[in-house]
Amino acid sequence: MKYLYVLKTYFFLFIKIYWINKRLTHRLFKELSTLDTEQDLLTEKLKKRIFYYTAQSYMCAHWACALRGKGLTRQERKNIVCLGAITPILDDFTDKTKLTSTEILNLIRSPIEQGERNEATLAKYLFQQLLKMQNEPFNNILEEALISQDN
């Protein structure tokens, strides 16, 4: 009986991560494509990386929800997908362009310029979506994570 329970748990986790997360991530891709009219910023490689990170975020959130005894709200799902999507972009800023945490924070906090179309545009948009949740501890943790990336 215990094995059936484990099998059922993994089955539902698979559905939530693969099917629901995939649907939410593709919805975000459509939303981001409105920012991306002239260039193809959302390459297939970046889309795969974003899906991988959103799946990780969704799985961790699902586990946390199991502990709290209540499922994800619609806004929490959107936030999780935005967090998963911004992660590989910020990672590229630190690894490829060697920006410091202060430079990245200044970059993503600045408004989207008229005609600006680059990865910074995507990061700014996603960061603005995350700020809408108005969660001060999240903002502090994001800053700490970026600072620790410097080290």
Side-chain angles (χ1 to χ4, degrees):
M1 190 63 164
K2 179 173 42 172
Y3 296 111
L4 289 176
Y5 179 74
V6 170
L7 184 62
K8 175 186 155 201
T9 301
Y10 279 113
F11 176 73
F12 282 112
L13 187 59
F14 172 79
I15 288 174
K16 287 181 180 192
I17 291 171
Y18 187 76
W19 189 72
I20 296 174
N21 176 63
K22 188 174 184 177
R23 184 174 45 109
L24 293 170
T25 304
H26 283 289
R27 189 177 298 158
L28 179 67
F29 289 155
K30 285 182 183 177
E31 197 174 313
L32 292 175
S33 68
T34 62
L35 301 172
D36 182 17
T37 54
E38 297 164 10
Q39 299 176 5
D40 189 21
L41 299 176
L42 286 171
T43 62
E44 285 305 312
K45 182 179 177 183
L46 182 58
K47 284 181 180 181
K48 285 180 184 178
R49 287 181 66 211
I50 287 174
F51 180 75
Y52 175 74
Y53 279 92
T54 58
Q56 287 179 0
S57 297
Y58 201 84
M59 184 170 32
C60 292
H62 177 70
W63 290 338
C65 286
L67 292 173
R68 78 176 180 184
K70 185 177 112 179
L72 291 168
T73 65
R74 181 180 298 227
Q75 188 59 46
E76 286 172 331
R77 277 186 251 148
K78 182 173 173 68
N79 293 340
I80 288 164
V81 171
C82 287
L83 179 63
I86 199 172
T87 303
I89 297 170
L90 295 181
D91 192 43
D92 286 348
F93 287 157
T94 58
D95 293 343
K96 290 180 182 174
T97 60
K98 305 291 187 205
L99 293 176
T100 65
S101 59
T102 306
E103 292 169 331
I104 292 172
L105 287 169
N106 289 338
L107 176 73
I108 62 177
R109 286 181 176 151
S110 65
I112 297 173
E113 303 285 329
Q114 184 71 23
E116 176 185 38
R117 299 288 180 259
N118 53 32
E119 280 193 351
T121 308
L122 299 175
K124 289 176 185 183
Y125 178 79
L126 293 166
F127 184 70
Q128 289 170 3
Q129 296 304 307
L130 290 168
L131 286 179
K132 287 180 181 178
M133 74 174 137
Q134 299 176 349
N135 185 333
E136 192 60 36
F138 170 80
N139 295 335
N140 295 336
I141 291 169
L142 176 65
E143 287 183 29
E144 287 178 28
L146 283 170
I147 291 168
S148 68
Q149 181 78 15
D150 287 346
N151 298 329

